[in-house]
Amino acid sequence: MTRPVSADGANGFRAALQLRPGRLPRRWLNLQEYQSKKLMQESGVAVQRFYVADSASEALEAAKRLNAKEIVLKAQILAGGRGKGVFDSGLKGGVHLTKDPAVVGELANKMLGFNLTTKQTPKDGVKVKTVMVAEALDITRETYFAILMDRACNGPVMVGSPQGGMDIEEVAASSPELIFKEVIDIFEGVQDVQALRMAANLGFKGPLQRQAADQIKRLYDLFLKVDATQVEVNPLGETPEGQVVCFDAKISFDDNAEFRQKAVFAMDDMTESDPTETAAAKWDLKYIGLDGNIACFVNGAGLAMATCDIIDLHGGKPANFLDLGGGVQERQVYEAFKLLTADPKVEAILVNIFGGIVNCAIIANGITKACRELELKVPLVVRLEGTNVHEAKRILTESGLPITAAENLDDAAKKAVAAIHK
C-alpha cells in the first residue's frame, strides 16, 4: 500500500539513510558518476549514452562517436556542485553543454589535469583526471525515485516524488503529500502492482507508466545485485521522445558485502579521500580528523563522540574521532597510535576503553608496544574499564612508561587538557 510520508518522516529516513552524505569515514565506497552509470547500464537501466576519456583527444573522439544532437561534458570528481565550480585553468563550470564535438576537445583540455574547486572540495580543489562525454537529452518532466534500506520497515523501501530535480528535503518540507513510500517484501521483491502504482504516483501516464515500472524493477534488481543500501535517482526523467531515463544516480553500498562484491569495490576511487582516513580503513579503524590537539583513542562510536564532547567541556579540543571497533587486536592498536602520532597538531593522547567485547589487556599490550617502538613524545592519559581490566592495569603499571592513569572519563578528560597546558 502506497502512502504519503510526513515532512518529519521524510527528514527521518533522509537522516537515517545518509542521502547526500557529508564527510564520512573511508569505509563508505566512493564511485564516480560514470562508474554508477556503468553498473546501471549493465542491469538494463536506461541511461544516456556515454564514453569516458582521460585526454582531450579521447574526449574529442568520444564526442564524434556519440553523433548526438547535443553533448554534455562532465568533470568526474566525487564532490558535488561541479556545475558552479571553477578550474585553476580559468575555466568556469565542471559541466558544459555543446553541439560541436570540437568544443568538447577544447573544454576537456581546460579540465583534465587541472584542479576543480566547488563548495564541497578542499580550498585548493581536486585534480580532474577523467571526464565523461555523454549524449545530452531534453527532459520534459523530472521525478525523484530511490530504493533504500529502512530500519523502521525491516528491509528495503521505495520512495518517490513527482517533483524531482531538486532537494528531496525541500519537497518533504513544502509538499509532504507528494512523497510516496512503498515497502518491499525482501522475499517477494517488487511486485508489478507496486511498480505500476509507484510509476503512477510519479506522474507517468499511458505507455510511460509501464516503461517507468519496468525501470523501477530493474533498479531493484541492481539494488540486490550489488548489495546496495541505497539507489537514488534524481532525476528519473521523461524525454520528448517518450523515454524514461535515469539521468543522475547515487549508489551507496553495504561495506560488509565487500567479500562478495570484489569487482564493485575494486572501482573505489580513493584519490579524493583523506590519506589518514584511507590508512585507518586498511586496519578497520574508523577515523575522522578534527581541528584540535588532543587525540582520541576509543572503542565504540557513541563512546568516541562522548569523549570528544567531554574534552570540549573541559576546555580542550579533540584532534580526531577514532573508533577501534569491537574485535580490535594488538596490531590495530599499534597502527592506530602510528596514525595519531603522525598528526603534527597532536599534543596529548587520551585512551578511553570500555571493554565489553574488547579485551583491555590486548589494548594495554598494544599501547606499551607502540609507546616503546614509536618513542612517544606527547603525554598519554589512559582510562580502561571492563574485560580483563586488572591485568591491563598491571601491564601498564609494570611497563615503566610515563602513562597517566585515569579513574573515569571525566578524570581522563581533565588530565588530558591539563597535560597540554603544563
Side-chain angles (χ1 to χ4, degrees), residues 365-379:
N365 282 322
I367 290 173
T368 55
K369 175 182 171 67
C371 286
R372 290 191 177 102
E373 295 189 12
L374 300 174
E375 297 180 353
L376 189 66
K377 293 180 174 61
V378 297

Side-chain angles (χ1 to χ4, degrees), residues 104-397:
V104 171
E106 293 169 10
L107 289 169
N109 199 42
K110 296 177 182 178
M111 290 184 178
L112 291 163
F114 293 98
N115 282 20
L116 173 59
T117 303
T118 78
K119 61 183 180 181
Q120 292 186 14
T121 64
K123 64 178 182 178
D124 294 329
V126 173
K127 181 174 287 189
V128 174
K129 299 178 180 178
T130 308
V131 293
M132 184 176 75
V133 185
E135 177 184 26
L137 296 175
D138 290 330
I139 307 176
T140 54
R141 202 172 61 84
E142 296 180 328
T143 73
Y144 172 92
F145 178 74
I147 302 170
L148 32 87
M149 297 301 291
D150 187 351
R151 289 183 184 275
C153 298
N154 294 316
V157 298
M158 295 187 286
V159 178
S161 174
Q163 290 192 7
M166 62 178 72
D167 197 320
I168 195 64
E169 282 137 333
E170 293 179 14
V171 179
S174 61
S175 307
E177 72 280 2
L178 293 180
I179 294 182
F180 297 91
K181 179 176 176 180
E182 187 91 36
V183 179
I184 302 169
D185 186 319
I186 191 72
F187 297 106
E188 300 294 333
V190 177
Q191 302 300 296
D192 285 343
V193 66
Q194 289 182 298
L196 286 166
R197 190 161 55 218
M198 179 58 79
N201 283 325
L202 295 180
F204 293 104
K205 296 179 173 60
L208 286 175
Q209 184 182 353
R210 171 58 67 178
Q211 194 182 143
D214 179 63
Q215 290 299 303
I216 286 169
K217 294 189 75 172
R218 289 173 187 266
L219 285 164
Y220 183 68
D221 289 341
L222 170 65
F223 179 85
L224 292 182
K225 178 182 174 183
V226 300
D227 286 303
T229 54
Q230 170 192 298
V231 174
E232 183 187 32
V233 182
N234 192 19
L236 175 64
E238 183 180 317
T239 72
E241 295 76 27
Q243 292 177 290
V244 178
V245 179
C246 298
F247 283 93
D248 202 356
K250 179 176 182 60
I251 306 176
S252 299
F253 301 86
D254 185 349
D255 58 287
N256 293 304
E258 182 175 359
F259 73 97
R260 66 183 183 194
Q261 296 291 346
K262 295 189 182 300
V264 172
F265 278 77
M267 294 191 288
D268 195 358
D269 189 332
M270 295 180 286
T271 58
E272 296 174 43
S273 299
D274 181 280
T276 306
E277 292 177 20
T278 303
K282 291 178 182 177
W283 296 99
D284 202 26
L285 303 169
K286 277 70 81 179
Y287 177 97
I288 300 175
L290 301 173
D291 296 328
N293 54 4
I294 299 177
C296 302
F297 179 99
V298 190
N299 67 309
L303 190 59
M305 287 188 282
T307 302
C308 290
D309 287 342
I310 293 180
I311 288 173
D312 192 68
L313 179 68
H314 289 296
K317 293 293 179 184
N320 63 275
F321 169 102
L322 181 87
D323 174 13
L324 295 174
V328 66
Q329 298 299 313
E330 191 176 315
R331 180 61 188 271
Q332 288 168 287
V333 176
Y334 176 81
E335 294 297 332
F337 262 81
K338 277 181 67 177
L339 292 171
L340 297 179
T341 55
D343 184 348
K345 301 193 308 296
V346 170
E347 297 178 32
I349 299 174
L350 192 163
V351 175
N352 183 26
I353 301 295
F354 188 85
I357 299 171
V358 173
N359 186 328
C360 290
I362 290 176
I363 300 292
N365 282 322
I367 290 173
T368 55
K369 175 182 171 67
C371 286
R372 290 191 177 102
E373 295 189 12
L374 300 174
E375 297 180 353
L376 189 66
K377 293 180 174 61
V378 297
L380 173 61
V381 179
V382 178
R383 179 258 182 163
L384 298 172
E385 198 60 70
T387 304
N388 220 4
V389 68
H390 297 298
E391 173 64 12
K393 289 181 177 180
R394 183 194 64 78
I395 292 168
L396 295 179
T397 301

